[in-house]
Amino acid sequence: MASRRLRAFKRWMKSHGVEYSDTLDFIDCPEQGISVRTLSDLHEGDVVATIPKTACLTIKTSGAWELIDSAGLDGLLGLSVALMYEKSLGQDSPWAGYLQLLPRQECLPLVWTLGEVDSLLSGTELHKAIKEDKTLMYEDWKENILPLVYSAPESLDPSSFSVEEYFAARSLISSRSFMIDEHHGSGMVPLADLFNHKTGAEDVHFTSVSPNQEYEDDADSENSDKSEPSKISDHDERASSSENSYIHSDSDHSSMSGEDTMMLQMIMVREVKSGDEVFNTYGSLGNAALLHRYGFTEPNNPFDIVNVDLELVLKWGCSLFSSRYCRSRLSLWRKLDLSGCASEDSEYFEISSDGEPEMELLTLLYIMLLPDDTCHKLDMTICTSDKVSRNIGMILSEKHDITWDTSSEISKEFLLTEKVCGALLTLADIRESCYGLKSVDEDMEALKGCCMKERKLYHSLVLRTSERRILEKLRTYATEGASRSRTLQNISELPQDRFGLFLRISHLDHVSESKQQPPSDMVHNDCGVLGNEQNSPMIE
């Protein structure tokens, strides 16, 4: 039997023109929330629901539209005001039957206490990002919403627009909102937000069609990309148009107009057997992004990544070389039109779920460890129009008297010298140290004994262990790369193809490095090469 809140929601949907197939079964679990299953087989192309855009809670449909518009607010900030306003009306809101189904807030790290963020997320990709989010969103509230409340009519209850309510609204928007169209922007879509996420398992697809327009399968449409997420993230509004898809429209005109002549349809894109859950997918997201945006993680997520900050790489460099040396090598790397991933004021490199680092990181480490004369020649011959593979290949082919095919592209094997692999091992250890004193085995044991009811602890442990397993794979990747580099004893026996050329150059360069005296700003001891503290300050 449906719960009381589900019965109220079904009555609300009927009164607002939301129609859904009687094969859909809504399950209300106290611990896991609402999920959608099917009572009979569903087939590709089946239309399982239609939702009028007038039933969606957006800036344009909210009773606070004039207030929001007069304040010049838009995007997720404006939608937050619309959501808080409708919630403040209680049963008088046209969306009361829908809003009563929602929790006050979702359990996103955004609404965790600072103590919880520090204790549970330390070392993870989210630790710094969440603290920055909290600061920026507080500033948004103080600069935009607080003045709005004070200047609004007396009927507006200030307690409904407090900073706590704003953060709660943002957590709901992050985990539940969709980009509808260019006129409405993002909004809350009743019924659509009840379908749970499963990575790589999209069962139902959302699209916009005219009421009198028959459904045409948009699976082959140029505008359709099932790999794109359907939900919208509140992490970065500026990126929402590129990182998150619109609900696909079959009519360009309707998306641009201000008239609500369109309906949203929910259409099956593959078969689902009777009794199975029907999933939406929010995109190809790693656990850090899932926890950040939606408040949950997935064990063994194939899209997990670990980031290594450029700052950390430079810290490693300064442990071996002087600050001046590191700056010059970094400058040379940038002259090759290379850079890491950028986020706000930081630059970083991604390590994939299988432990493989980005080419840009390998290239930076390779340049950091090249002999001085090779780097000097490379620096002197760089042309802005040349590609990185041509630049490095050209210089090393001249150095070793090897014919270089200018159409060749750099292979990662080419860059995996023993020293580069050693640098990767050190970077993995430095990155690992960010998690604190507990070992990865201790984290995994804690996860095994953790109950799903302890939601914050459980998902933070899934994130920590998934990231640390990637670092273990990075160590394996580096160790195997070093082993392959050491086995290249007779380069004349290597194949004469492009791959063989890469290995030749890497091997010869490695031999050259091993014979060269270290730079004057390095010192040796019995444990290896260590930086001279007086000559190796951190990069300024």
Side-chain angles (χ1 to χ4, degrees):
M1 180 180 293
S3 64
R4 178 179 298 179
R5 63 174 186 162
L6 271 178
R7 293 196 297 271
F9 178 57
K10 290 179 178 180
R11 291 193 297 269
W12 180 89
M13 285 195 290
K14 184 176 181 180
S15 67
H16 284 75
V18 178
E19 299 180 353
Y20 61 93
S21 170
D22 56 10
T23 62
L24 297 182
D25 186 25
F26 304 101
I27 309 299
D28 192 355
C29 176
E31 295 180 0
Q32 300 179 0
I34 297 175
S35 60
V36 183
R37 295 185 176 272
T38 177
L39 297 173
S40 60
D41 291 354
L42 290 173
H43 306 284
E44 182 178 355
D46 287 350
V47 178
V48 294
T50 57
I51 307 168
K53 290 185 179 179
T54 53
C56 301
L57 175 49
T58 70
I59 293 175
K60 299 293 178 66
T61 60
S62 171
W65 154 241
E66 292 185 358
L67 180 66
I68 296 170
D69 185 54
S70 64
L73 303 182
D74 58 12
L76 303 184
L77 186 60
L79 180 59
S80 299
V81 175
L83 179 57
M84 288 187 289
Y85 175 79
E86 297 300 335
K87 289 175 66 177
S88 74
L89 298 180
Q91 291 301 312
D92 293 331
S93 170
W95 286 272
Y98 163 63
L99 295 176
Q100 59 86 32
L101 198 66
L102 306 183
R104 176 181 174 271
Q105 63 184 28
E106 291 289 353
C107 191
L108 274 61
L110 174 66
V111 296
W112 298 3
T113 66
L114 285 175
E116 290 171 332
V117 171
D118 286 335
S119 63
L120 298 177
L121 298 178
S122 180
T124 69
E125 301 300 310
L126 291 188
H127 189 206
K128 181 180 178 181
I130 295 301
K131 298 178 85 168
E132 291 175 348
D133 281 355
K134 281 178 166 289
T135 299
L136 292 174
M137 289 189 189
Y138 176 78
E139 292 175 355
D140 282 343
W141 173 82
K142 186 177 180 180
E143 294 175 5
N144 297 283
I145 297 177
L146 194 57
L148 178 65
V149 174
Y150 283 130
S151 62
E154 295 182 0
S155 58
L156 209 61
D157 182 7
S159 64
S160 297
F161 297 85
S162 65
V163 67
E164 292 81 10
E165 290 300 320
Y166 174 61
F167 272 65
R170 288 298 293 258
S171 73
L172 291 173
I173 289 170
S174 174
S175 60
R176 292 174 176 269
S177 67
F178 293 80
M179 181 64 95
I180 298 172
D181 58 32
E182 293 186 21
H183 172 68
H184 288 89
S186 58
M188 310 295 285
V189 184
L191 179 60
D193 59 4
L194 298 186
F195 291 80
N196 289 325
H197 162 85
K198 188 175 183 180
T199 296
E202 183 183 37
D203 296 324
V204 66
H205 191 63
F206 302 96
T207 185
S208 296
V209 295
S210 300
N212 299 323
Q213 181 181 16
E214 292 185 1
Y215 164 65
E216 296 180 0
D217 189 355
D218 65 346
D220 297 325
S221 170
E222 292 182 0
N223 295 325
S224 177
D225 184 354
K226 295 175 187 176
S227 66
E228 292 181 346
S230 297
K231 293 223 171 184
I232 187 170
S233 162
D234 75 336
H235 174 51
D236 188 351
E237 275 189 68
R238 293 168 298 180
S240 62
S241 61
S242 60
E243 292 183 357
N244 302 276
S245 67
Y246 289 93
I247 295 176
H248 295 293
S249 173
D250 293 323
S251 171
D252 293 337
H253 171 72
S254 62
S255 295
M256 297 298 293
S257 72
E259 300 178 1
D260 289 305
T261 58
M262 299 289 290
M263 302 284 286
L264 302 177
Q265 281 190 343
M266 301 170 61
I267 303 164
M268 300 302 297
V269 294
R270 66 178 180 182
E271 293 191 6
V272 176
K273 296 298 183 182
S274 176
D276 289 346
E277 183 170 359
V278 184
F279 289 102
N280 179 25
T281 182
Y282 307 163
S284 303
L285 303 176
N287 278 329
L290 286 176
L291 184 55
H292 191 182
R293 304 177 187 184
Y294 308 115
F296 65 88
T297 57
E298 286 187 319
N300 304 313
N301 187 332
F303 300 104
D304 269 339
I305 58 171
V306 168
N307 294 338
V308 175
D309 289 343
L310 175 61
E311 181 181 348
L312 186 148
V313 178
L314 297 178
K315 180 180 179 181
W316 160 81
C318 285
S319 71
L320 297 176
F321 311 108
S322 69
S323 174
R324 180 179 179 181
Y325 177 99
C326 292
R327 284 198 300 267
S328 67
R329 296 302 174 97
L330 179 63
S331 175
L332 176 58
W333 179 73
R334 293 202 186 281
K335 287 180 183 178
L336 297 170
D337 293 328
L338 295 176
S339 63
C341 303
S343 176
E344 300 296 334
D345 58 348
S346 65
E347 192 172 353
Y348 61 91
F349 306 97
E350 291 183 353
I351 311 298
S352 66
S353 60
D354 59 2
E356 187 169 339
E358 286 188 292
M359 175 70 80
E360 288 78 4
L361 174 57
L362 293 179
T363 307
L364 177 56
L365 297 177
Y366 192 89
I367 290 175
M368 282 277 195
L369 295 166
L370 276 178
D372 285 340
D373 62 339
T374 306
C375 272
H376 179 69
K377 185 178 288 188
L378 179 59
D379 195 10
M380 293 293 291
T381 57
I382 284 177
C383 226
T384 56
S385 61
D386 283 342
K387 293 182 179 179
V388 57
S389 57
R390 182 177 178 184
N391 282 316
I392 295 179
M394 178 175 59
I395 298 306
L396 295 182
S397 63
E398 290 178 4
K399 179 179 178 64
H400 301 299
D401 192 26
I402 296 175
T403 303
W404 174 259
D405 178 5
T406 57
S407 65
S408 298
E409 295 181 356
I410 290 288
S411 164
K412 286 187 177 179
E413 292 287 340
F414 165 83
L415 302 169
L416 286 174
T417 65
E418 281 194 74
K419 287 189 177 181
V420 169
C421 291
L424 288 175
L425 290 171
T426 302
L427 288 175
D429 290 341
I430 297 174
R431 182 64 181 81
E432 182 86 40
S433 68
C434 298
Y435 297 101
L437 298 178
K438 287 187 178 180
S439 67
V440 62
D441 291 335
E442 289 176 305
D443 276 346
M444 294 180 71
E445 283 299 317
L447 178 59
K448 290 178 182 178
C450 184
C451 176
M452 278 286 290
K453 292 181 179 180
E454 302 176 87
R455 187 169 179 177
K456 297 176 184 178
L457 177 60
Y458 174 81
H459 290 300
S460 63
L461 282 172
V462 171
L463 177 60
R464 282 171 60 91
T465 54
S466 64
E467 289 184 357
R468 299 181 81 169
R469 280 196 292 260
I470 292 176
L471 291 176
E472 289 181 342
K473 293 177 182 179
L474 174 60
R475 294 186 183 94
T476 301
Y477 176 90
T479 301
E480 291 177 350
S483 178
R484 287 194 298 271
S485 178
R486 286 192 296 270
T487 60
L488 299 178
Q489 299 297 328
N490 188 354
I491 63 171
S492 63
E493 297 178 359
L494 290 172
Q496 297 301 314
D497 59 11
R498 183 181 300 175
F499 182 71
L501 176 60
F502 292 156
L503 295 181
R504 276 188 179 80
I505 296 175
S506 295
H507 177 71
L508 290 172
D509 189 57
H510 165 66
V511 171
S512 175
E513 287 180 79
S514 64
K515 293 180 179 179
Q516 182 173 330
Q517 294 296 322
S520 58
D521 54 5
M522 295 170 62
V523 295
H524 290 263
N525 66 10
D526 292 337
C527 297
V529 182
L530 300 175
N532 185 324
E533 294 184 359
Q534 294 181 347
N535 295 327
S536 302
M538 289 297 294
I539 286 187
E540 299 170 357

